[in-house]
Amino acid sequence: MYLAMNRFTVLPENAAAFEALWLNRESHLKESEGFVSFHMLKGPEAEGAILYASHTVWESEAHFRAWTTSDAFRAAHARAGQTRKLHEGAPRFEGFSAIQKIDAE
């Protein structure tokens, strides 16, 4: 399993618009081989900003890398530069390979 995360720092006055952008966007993840799940997470507010993280689970890092070069990826990000920038700086990418998984029974 591979987890791909992007962290976003959002000013409180942009939070509602940032959330609306994500909640109303057209996702192409379900069309991608190896896609498992997606979560958009809202974290705490600290030092005048709110931390958000997009959290995508893939069957493997190879599946994630294939998605980043796919037509679905290009379609999902086609309008990224056309909307008002709602977060501070660039998103911070973090990729993780799972070394353990414990499921609820």
Side-chain angles (χ1 to χ4, degrees), residues 5-35:
M5 298 181 70
N6 278 298
R7 297 163 58 110
F8 303 88
T9 302
V10 179
L11 296 177
E13 59 266 24
N14 293 335
F18 181 82
E19 291 178 20
L21 181 68
W22 281 91
L23 295 171
N24 297 312
R25 76 181 187 19
E26 184 178 351
S27 174
H28 298 273
L29 289 168
K30 290 183 181 182
E31 304 162 14
S32 302
E33 185 177 339
F35 169 74

Short mmCIF file of all heavy atoms in Angstrom, two decimals, residues 5-35:
data_model
loop_
_atom_site.label_atom_id
_atom_site.label_comp_id
_atom_site.label_asym_id
_atom_site.label_seq_id
_atom_site.Cartn_x
_atom_site.Cartn_y
_atom_site.Cartn_z
N MET A 5 0.21 12.10 0.03
CA MET A 5 -0.42 13.22 0.71
C MET A 5 0.12 14.54 0.19
O MET A 5 1.30 14.65 -0.13
CB MET A 5 -0.16 13.14 2.21
CG MET A 5 -0.74 11.91 2.86
SD MET A 5 -0.45 11.86 4.63
CE MET A 5 -1.53 13.18 5.18
N ASN A 6 -0.76 15.51 0.09
CA ASN A 6 -0.37 16.89 -0.17
C ASN A 6 -0.90 17.72 0.98
O ASN A 6 -2.08 17.64 1.34
CB ASN A 6 -0.96 17.40 -1.49
CG ASN A 6 -0.14 16.98 -2.67
OD1 ASN A 6 1.02 17.34 -2.78
ND2 ASN A 6 -0.73 16.20 -3.55
N ARG A 7 -0.03 18.51 1.57
CA ARG A 7 -0.41 19.38 2.68
C ARG A 7 -0.56 20.81 2.17
O ARG A 7 0.27 21.28 1.40
CB ARG A 7 0.63 19.30 3.79
CG ARG A 7 0.73 17.90 4.37
CD ARG A 7 2.00 17.72 5.16
NE ARG A 7 2.14 18.65 6.24
CZ ARG A 7 2.05 18.34 7.52
NH1 ARG A 7 1.85 17.11 7.88
NH2 ARG A 7 2.18 19.26 8.45
N PHE A 8 -1.63 21.46 2.61
CA PHE A 8 -1.94 22.82 2.19
C PHE A 8 -2.09 23.70 3.42
O PHE A 8 -2.75 23.31 4.39
CB PHE A 8 -3.27 22.87 1.42
CG PHE A 8 -3.32 21.99 0.21
CD1 PHE A 8 -3.71 20.66 0.31
CD2 PHE A 8 -3.00 22.48 -1.04
CE1 PHE A 8 -3.78 19.85 -0.80
CE2 PHE A 8 -3.06 21.68 -2.17
CZ PHE A 8 -3.45 20.35 -2.05
N THR A 9 -1.53 24.89 3.37
CA THR A 9 -1.70 25.88 4.42
C THR A 9 -2.67 26.94 3.90
O THR A 9 -2.41 27.57 2.87
CB THR A 9 -0.35 26.53 4.78
OG1 THR A 9 0.55 25.50 5.18
CG2 THR A 9 -0.50 27.54 5.91
N VAL A 10 -3.80 27.09 4.60
CA VAL A 10 -4.88 27.96 4.12
C VAL A 10 -5.22 29.01 5.17
O VAL A 10 -5.42 28.68 6.35
CB VAL A 10 -6.14 27.12 3.80
CG1 VAL A 10 -7.28 28.00 3.32
CG2 VAL A 10 -5.82 26.04 2.77
N LEU A 11 -5.28 30.26 4.75
CA LEU A 11 -5.70 31.32 5.67
C LEU A 11 -7.18 31.13 6.00
O LEU A 11 -7.96 30.72 5.12
CB LEU A 11 -5.47 32.69 5.04
CG LEU A 11 -4.00 33.05 4.75
CD1 LEU A 11 -3.91 34.40 4.06
CD2 LEU A 11 -3.18 33.03 6.03
N PRO A 12 -7.60 31.44 7.22
CA PRO A 12 -9.00 31.24 7.62
C PRO A 12 -10.01 31.90 6.69
O PRO A 12 -11.07 31.32 6.42
CB PRO A 12 -9.06 31.84 9.03
CG PRO A 12 -7.67 31.69 9.55
CD PRO A 12 -6.78 31.90 8.35
N GLU A 13 -9.69 33.06 6.14
CA GLU A 13 -10.63 33.74 5.25
C GLU A 13 -10.80 33.02 3.91
O GLU A 13 -11.75 33.27 3.18
CB GLU A 13 -10.24 35.21 5.02
CG GLU A 13 -8.88 35.40 4.41
CD GLU A 13 -7.75 35.63 5.41
OE1 GLU A 13 -7.88 35.22 6.59
OE2 GLU A 13 -6.74 36.22 5.02
N ASN A 14 -9.91 32.10 3.59
CA ASN A 14 -10.01 31.32 2.35
C ASN A 14 -10.53 29.90 2.58
O ASN A 14 -10.71 29.15 1.62
CB ASN A 14 -8.65 31.24 1.65
CG ASN A 14 -8.18 32.58 1.13
OD1 ASN A 14 -8.97 33.46 0.86
ND2 ASN A 14 -6.88 32.74 1.01
N ALA A 15 -10.74 29.52 3.83
CA ALA A 15 -11.09 28.14 4.16
C ALA A 15 -12.38 27.67 3.48
O ALA A 15 -12.42 26.58 2.91
CB ALA A 15 -11.18 27.96 5.67
N ALA A 16 -13.44 28.47 3.53
CA ALA A 16 -14.73 28.05 2.95
C ALA A 16 -14.59 27.85 1.44
O ALA A 16 -15.08 26.86 0.88
CB ALA A 16 -15.81 29.07 3.27
N ALA A 17 -13.90 28.75 0.76
CA ALA A 17 -13.72 28.63 -0.69
C ALA A 17 -12.82 27.44 -1.02
O ALA A 17 -13.06 26.73 -2.00
CB ALA A 17 -13.14 29.92 -1.26
N PHE A 18 -11.77 27.22 -0.23
CA PHE A 18 -10.87 26.08 -0.44
C PHE A 18 -11.64 24.77 -0.32
O PHE A 18 -11.54 23.88 -1.15
CB PHE A 18 -9.72 26.13 0.56
CG PHE A 18 -8.72 25.02 0.40
CD1 PHE A 18 -7.71 25.11 -0.54
CD2 PHE A 18 -8.79 23.89 1.20
CE1 PHE A 18 -6.78 24.09 -0.70
CE2 PHE A 18 -7.86 22.86 1.06
CZ PHE A 18 -6.86 22.97 0.11
N GLU A 19 -12.45 24.65 0.73
CA GLU A 19 -13.25 23.44 0.94
C GLU A 19 -14.26 23.26 -0.19
O GLU A 19 -14.44 22.14 -0.70
CB GLU A 19 -13.96 23.50 2.29
CG GLU A 19 -12.98 23.37 3.45
CD GLU A 19 -13.65 23.46 4.80
OE1 GLU A 19 -14.89 23.25 4.91
OE2 GLU A 19 -12.93 23.74 5.79
N ALA A 20 -14.92 24.32 -0.60
CA ALA A 20 -15.90 24.23 -1.69
C ALA A 20 -15.23 23.77 -2.98
O ALA A 20 -15.80 22.96 -3.73
CB ALA A 20 -16.59 25.57 -1.89
N LEU A 21 -14.03 24.26 -3.25
CA LEU A 21 -13.30 23.86 -4.45
C LEU A 21 -13.08 22.35 -4.45
O LEU A 21 -13.32 21.69 -5.45
CB LEU A 21 -11.96 24.60 -4.51
CG LEU A 21 -11.09 24.33 -5.71
CD1 LEU A 21 -11.73 24.89 -6.98
CD2 LEU A 21 -9.71 24.95 -5.51
N TRP A 22 -12.67 21.80 -3.34
CA TRP A 22 -12.42 20.35 -3.25
C TRP A 22 -13.72 19.55 -3.27
O TRP A 22 -13.81 18.52 -3.93
CB TRP A 22 -11.61 20.02 -1.99
CG TRP A 22 -10.17 20.31 -2.20
CD1 TRP A 22 -9.51 21.48 -1.93
CD2 TRP A 22 -9.20 19.43 -2.76
NE1 TRP A 22 -8.19 21.37 -2.29
CE2 TRP A 22 -7.97 20.12 -2.80
CE3 TRP A 22 -9.24 18.13 -3.24
CZ2 TRP A 22 -6.80 19.55 -3.29
CZ3 TRP A 22 -8.07 17.56 -3.73
CH2 TRP A 22 -6.87 18.27 -3.75
N LEU A 23 -14.72 20.01 -2.54
CA LEU A 23 -15.97 19.26 -2.43
C LEU A 23 -16.76 19.24 -3.73
O LEU A 23 -17.55 18.32 -3.97
CB LEU A 23 -16.83 19.82 -1.30
CG LEU A 23 -16.23 19.65 0.10
CD1 LEU A 23 -17.05 20.43 1.12
CD2 LEU A 23 -16.13 18.18 0.48
N ASN A 24 -16.55 20.23 -4.58
CA ASN A 24 -17.32 20.34 -5.82
C ASN A 24 -16.52 20.00 -7.07
O ASN A 24 -17.04 20.09 -8.17
CB ASN A 24 -17.89 21.76 -5.95
CG ASN A 24 -18.85 22.07 -4.83
OD1 ASN A 24 -19.73 21.28 -4.53
ND2 ASN A 24 -18.65 23.20 -4.18
N ARG A 25 -15.28 19.57 -6.91
CA ARG A 25 -14.46 19.27 -8.07
C ARG A 25 -14.80 17.90 -8.65
O ARG A 25 -15.30 17.04 -7.96
CB ARG A 25 -12.97 19.35 -7.73
CG ARG A 25 -12.45 18.18 -6.94
CD ARG A 25 -11.01 18.34 -6.62
NE ARG A 25 -10.24 17.32 -6.02
CZ ARG A 25 -10.44 16.03 -5.91
NH1 ARG A 25 -11.51 15.50 -6.38
NH2 ARG A 25 -9.60 15.22 -5.32
N GLU A 26 -14.50 17.76 -9.92
CA GLU A 26 -14.72 16.48 -10.59
C GLU A 26 -13.48 15.61 -10.36
O GLU A 26 -12.37 15.97 -10.74
CB GLU A 26 -14.91 16.70 -12.09
CG GLU A 26 -15.23 15.44 -12.85
CD GLU A 26 -15.47 15.71 -14.32
OE1 GLU A 26 -15.56 16.88 -14.72
OE2 GLU A 26 -15.56 14.72 -15.06
N SER A 27 -13.67 14.49 -9.70
CA SER A 27 -12.56 13.59 -9.42
C SER A 27 -12.51 12.48 -10.47
O SER A 27 -13.53 11.98 -10.92
CB SER A 27 -12.73 12.95 -8.04
OG SER A 27 -11.72 11.98 -7.83
N HIS A 28 -11.31 12.12 -10.83
CA HIS A 28 -11.10 11.03 -11.80
C HIS A 28 -10.37 9.86 -11.16
O HIS A 28 -9.91 8.96 -11.85
CB HIS A 28 -10.31 11.56 -13.00
CG HIS A 28 -11.02 12.63 -13.75
ND1 HIS A 28 -11.91 12.37 -14.76
CD2 HIS A 28 -11.01 13.98 -13.60
CE1 HIS A 28 -12.39 13.51 -15.22
NE2 HIS A 28 -11.86 14.49 -14.54
N LEU A 29 -10.28 9.87 -9.84
CA LEU A 29 -9.53 8.83 -9.14
C LEU A 29 -10.13 7.44 -9.32
O LEU A 29 -9.39 6.46 -9.48
CB LEU A 29 -9.42 9.17 -7.65
CG LEU A 29 -8.50 10.35 -7.32
CD1 LEU A 29 -8.69 10.78 -5.88
CD2 LEU A 29 -7.06 9.98 -7.60
N LYS A 30 -11.44 7.33 -9.28
CA LYS A 30 -12.08 6.02 -9.36
C LYS A 30 -11.79 5.30 -10.67
O LYS A 30 -11.89 4.09 -10.75
CB LYS A 30 -13.59 6.14 -9.17
CG LYS A 30 -13.98 6.49 -7.76
CD LYS A 30 -15.49 6.54 -7.62
CE LYS A 30 -15.90 6.92 -6.22
NZ LYS A 30 -17.35 6.93 -6.07
N GLU A 31 -11.39 6.05 -11.69
CA GLU A 31 -11.08 5.47 -13.00
C GLU A 31 -9.67 4.88 -13.03
O GLU A 31 -9.30 4.23 -14.00
CB GLU A 31 -11.17 6.55 -14.08
CG GLU A 31 -12.51 7.24 -14.14
CD GLU A 31 -12.43 8.57 -14.89
OE1 GLU A 31 -11.43 8.83 -15.57
OE2 GLU A 31 -13.38 9.37 -14.75
N SER A 32 -8.88 5.11 -11.99
CA SER A 32 -7.47 4.76 -12.00
C SER A 32 -7.21 3.39 -11.39
O SER A 32 -7.66 3.09 -10.29
CB SER A 32 -6.69 5.81 -11.22
OG SER A 32 -6.89 7.08 -11.79
N GLU A 33 -6.43 2.60 -12.11
CA GLU A 33 -6.06 1.27 -11.63
C GLU A 33 -5.21 1.43 -10.37
O GLU A 33 -4.31 2.26 -10.31
CB GLU A 33 -5.27 0.53 -12.69
CG GLU A 33 -4.94 -0.89 -12.30
CD GLU A 33 -4.22 -1.65 -13.39
OE1 GLU A 33 -4.30 -1.25 -14.57
OE2 GLU A 33 -3.56 -2.64 -13.04
N GLY A 34 -5.53 0.65 -9.36
CA GLY A 34 -4.77 0.66 -8.12
C GLY A 34 -5.25 1.66 -7.10
O GLY A 34 -4.75 1.69 -5.97
N PHE A 35 -6.24 2.51 -7.45
CA PHE A 35 -6.79 3.48 -6.50
C PHE A 35 -7.59 2.74 -5.43
O PHE A 35 -8.38 1.86 -5.73
CB PHE A 35 -7.69 4.49 -7.22
CG PHE A 35 -8.49 5.35 -6.29
CD1 PHE A 35 -7.88 6.36 -5.57
CD2 PHE A 35 -9.85 5.14 -6.12
CE1 PHE A 35 -8.61 7.16 -4.70
CE2 PHE A 35 -10.59 5.93 -5.26
CZ PHE A 35 -9.98 6.94 -4.55
#
